[in-house]
Amino acid sequence: MTLGLALALTACGGGSGEGEGSGGAKGVTIALSAEPIEWINPLNENGSPGIQVAQAMFAPLVTTDASTGKLQNVLAESVTPDATSQTWTIKLKKGNTFQNGQPLTAKDYVDSWNLTAQGSNAWKNNGFFSKVEGYDALNPETAEGATPKPTAVKAMTGLKLVDEHTFSVKLKYPFSQFGLTLQYMGLAPLAEEVRKDPKAYERKQIGNGPYKLATGEWKAGEDIKLVKWDGYKGPNAPEADSITFRFIPNEDTAYNEFLAGTVDFVSVPATKIQTFKTDAPDRWMLSESSGNNYWAFPTWDPRFANPKLRHAFSMAIDREAFAKLVGIATPATGLIAPDINGARPGACKTCKLDVAEAKRLLAEAGGFNGPLSIYYNTTRATGQIFAEALGNMIRQNLGIEVKYVGKQGSEITKLADDRKLDGMRLSGWGHDYPSIEDYLTPMLKSTGDANFAGYKNPKLDDLLAKGDAEPDQEKAIKIYQQAEDLALQDLPLIPLWHGQNAYLHSERIQPRNSKFLGVQPLYSTFK
């Protein structure tokens, strides 16, 4: 799953506070239920573990206020659109620096964003700049799955330095949501010496946020140990003196570490939903998940090309039963998380169990040339359980032979990126900023960074562009809803469920719980 902000964290943290990497009485170890990350670079990271590390080491331009849900300036002094919302002027607060003492300037943003937009670098947040004027010159058309070749052009024409602390961003077309996007950690600036050789600094990254690397360098595969940086002058500084991110790929193992008293904070896996309240009385908390979970078709495989077949698969799924298996979950009835402005209950007309109609649609589609391969993540405790539950429904309700393929999540992602995945996989998404657009563009636009299904529809791309250009927010939402309707007709992703996230925490800390940002162990207070 790719999830933004801290809305669906798979994390846990350190126990007595005096243990390994805790850094004393106000040290917290956050163990991430994920495979270890390979580098620290927010511009080349869009997965939840890497984003959580970035939130500790870097400060954004703006953020969502945890109490009010309103946009709040962090490093930005002001963010001002022109009358059309096509050109935006960003003025930085003065006096901020990187952790090496280098002053933070507008040039750091302009150069860092251009570096990310250079397609030949193949950084994961490249597509985030696709709306900026001049992006296309840095990203020539390339065969699907291939990395663009280096170009002579190294800078987007839409980025202009105004003065030392001010720069402007001209977009290809008006985009009224752009101000919201600036809270995304993938827009963080890199220090000048890092920009000169990003590869050399992947494990000794220089941030500008409240925490820095404890030893100056980190080895891939090991815990990431951070200590408070006294040079941080921005708002919202966390209370802990030190933070350690520990990677525990198996969710059940992380949960058991909490019960053994070695961690402070743990995300409750689906396998423990029935027992977590009695396992840790008075030490559990819930938050709404601003995320949806899906079953993704490999649209590059001609066997899945017919939308009627995809509708048949969707209508063969008993979402009520599946939600009970997941735990504290609710069947999804659309592509947008329900707490987002513009989400509509029942938007998906084929997201209900109707075996007879599913069989009819499958027959009209010409059947399926099986077996159906269902890929699942072997590092997640529920990977095989969820795969088999879906597979049994397809087998029993549609008569299709099913086989299960277990691999690490990174292997499945690589197969999909290379268009070699020959079956279905679970995916999920939580917004990077609170807008219906941030569900549609990443997952469904032809160039979307999280286009799990490899879906391409020029009509949908046009609708997204039209919604982006509409300055009236309510009118824009109506257009984005048209785009969702079109995607639901094609159904490259089957909406499955959304739900609450459950966590356990030790008695000595109280993680922040915001209805706008979810539970964030980074912002724990100490008792």
Side-chain angles (χ1 to χ4, degrees):
M1 295 184 177
T2 303
L3 297 165
L5 293 177
L7 301 172
L9 307 184
T10 51
C12 53
S16 66
E18 301 297 340
E20 179 184 349
S22 65
K26 286 192 175 182
V28 177
T29 300
I30 302 172
L32 305 176
S33 297
E35 298 169 37
I37 61 176
E38 297 180 24
W39 53 72
I40 300 174
N41 180 351
L43 295 166
N44 189 22
E45 184 57 75
N46 57 15
S48 179
I51 288 174
Q52 291 180 65
V53 175
Q55 286 175 328
M57 292 190 66
F58 290 85
L61 287 164
V62 299
T63 190
T64 295
D65 185 272
S67 300
T68 67
K70 295 180 180 179
L71 208 59
Q72 175 189 27
N73 288 335
V74 180
L75 296 181
E77 180 71 37
S78 61
V79 177
T80 309
D82 66 3
T84 66
S85 295
Q86 184 168 359
T87 298
W88 295 70
T89 301
I90 301 168
K91 188 174 184 63
L92 302 178
K93 294 177 180 178
K94 297 179 181 179
N96 289 300
T97 71
F98 286 94
Q99 291 161 356
N100 63 350
Q102 176 202 324
L104 177 66
T105 68
K107 187 175 187 298
D108 296 309
Y109 283 93
V110 170
D111 289 356
S112 296
W113 291 9
N114 279 325
L115 197 61
T116 312
Q118 187 74 46
S120 58
N121 289 329
W123 283 6
K124 292 181 180 179
N125 287 316
N126 167 280
F128 209 87
F129 300 96
S130 62
K131 294 183 176 69
V132 179
E133 186 181 81
Y135 169 86
D136 295 340
L138 280 68
N139 294 270
E141 288 192 19
T142 307
E144 193 165 4
T147 299
K149 294 181 179 179
T151 60
V153 179
K154 303 297 181 184
M156 294 180 284
T157 55
L159 294 184
K160 299 290 185 183
L161 284 172
V162 178
D163 58 40
E164 185 179 6
H165 293 98
T166 310
F167 66 104
S168 64
V169 185
K170 185 177 182 181
L171 307 175
K172 297 176 187 175
Y173 43 79
F175 182 40
S176 60
Q177 312 291 304
F178 184 72
L180 289 171
T181 73
L182 297 178
Q183 60 193 295
Y184 180 49
M185 294 310 303
L187 303 179
L190 299 180
E192 183 178 8
E193 65 180 270
V194 176
R195 298 195 303 269
K196 291 178 180 178
D197 191 354
K199 189 75 176 176
Y201 283 86
E202 285 182 343
R203 298 185 178 96
K204 53 180 181 180
Q205 188 59 253
I206 300 169
N208 65 346
Y211 294 94
K212 64 179 182 179
L213 286 168
T215 59
E217 189 164 0
W218 150 77
K219 294 182 180 179
E222 294 185 356
D223 295 350
I224 297 177
K225 300 180 181 181
L226 308 176
V227 294
K228 184 170 285 188
W229 177 50
D230 293 336
Y232 178 66
K233 300 177 181 178
N236 308 322
E239 184 176 326
D241 294 319
S242 65
I243 298 289
T244 298
F245 291 97
R246 180 179 302 162
F247 297 90
I248 305 178
N250 186 287
E251 295 170 297
D252 283 352
T253 300
Y255 186 86
N256 290 333
E257 287 291 316
F258 175 87
L259 296 181
T262 62
V263 297
D264 286 322
F265 183 89
V266 65
S267 174
V268 176
T271 55
K272 305 297 181 182
I273 288 299
Q274 304 302 323
T275 64
F276 73 92
K277 292 182 181 180
T278 54
D279 287 343
D282 303 321
R283 291 182 292 161
W284 56 269
M285 59 197 311
L286 299 174
S287 75
E288 293 297 328
S289 170
S290 289
N292 257 16
N293 295 275
Y294 314 90
W295 207 21
F297 289 99
T299 61
W300 51 85
D301 187 328
R303 296 179 302 161
F304 299 94
N306 194 321
K308 288 184 177 181
L309 179 140
R310 302 200 284 261
H311 290 169
F313 275 41
S314 180
M315 299 187 81
I317 296 171
D318 185 342
R319 287 171 178 77
E320 293 286 348
F322 194 82
K324 290 179 181 178
L325 176 66
V326 172
I328 45 176
T330 304
T333 61
L335 292 164
I336 314 301
D339 61 338
I340 295 295
N341 190 15
R344 298 164 294 161
C348 177
K349 306 306 179 185
T350 60
C351 290
K352 55 186 178 181
L353 179 65
D354 189 334
V355 176
E357 180 65 6
K359 289 180 177 178
R360 186 187 70 80
L361 288 169
L362 181 63
E364 286 189 4
F368 180 75
N369 182 20
L372 171 68
S373 294
I374 300 178
Y375 286 77
Y376 65 90
N377 187 343
T378 55
T379 63
R380 303 192 72 85
T382 55
Q384 185 171 355
I385 295 171
F386 290 175
E388 290 181 351
L390 292 168
N392 285 337
M393 293 176 190
I394 296 298
R395 178 176 53 80
Q396 293 170 7
N397 294 335
L398 294 179
I400 294 174
E401 180 185 353
V402 174
K403 70 175 184 178
Y404 305 100
V405 184
K407 292 182 179 293
Q408 288 192 348
S410 57
E411 294 181 76
I412 297 173
T413 299
K414 182 68 165 58
L415 286 171
D417 289 346
D418 294 341
R419 302 298 186 251
K420 294 179 180 179
L421 194 74
D422 61 355
M424 301 188 68
R425 60 168 173 160
L426 282 167
S427 63
W429 184 255
H431 63 258
D432 298 308
Y433 47 92
S435 169
I436 182 175
E437 180 272 336
D438 193 43
Y439 283 82
L440 300 172
T441 297
M443 293 193 298
L444 297 165
K445 188 176 180 179
S446 297
T447 56
D449 283 336
N451 193 330
F452 306 116
Y455 172 68
K456 293 186 178 182
N457 186 332
K459 292 182 179 179
L460 185 137
D461 291 347
D462 290 343
L463 279 170
L464 290 178
K466 185 178 178 182
D468 292 347
E470 174 54 62
D472 185 294
Q473 291 295 303
E474 293 307 313
K475 290 181 180 178
I477 285 174
K478 295 294 184 184
I479 299 170
Y480 289 134
Q481 288 173 339
Q482 294 176 37
E484 183 190 11
D485 289 340
L486 182 56
L488 287 169
Q489 291 174 23
D490 288 344
L491 210 68
L493 301 171
I494 296 178
L496 290 178
W497 86 90
H498 62 265
Q500 290 180 309
N501 294 318
Y503 307 92
L504 304 182
H505 63 89
S506 70
E507 294 178 351
R508 73 187 192 93
I509 67 166
Q510 184 64 45
R512 186 169 77 184
N513 192 357
S514 162
K515 70 176 182 178
F516 305 107
L517 299 175
V519 172
Q520 294 177 294
L522 176 65
Y523 290 93
S524 293
T525 56
F526 292 78
K527 300 177 182 178

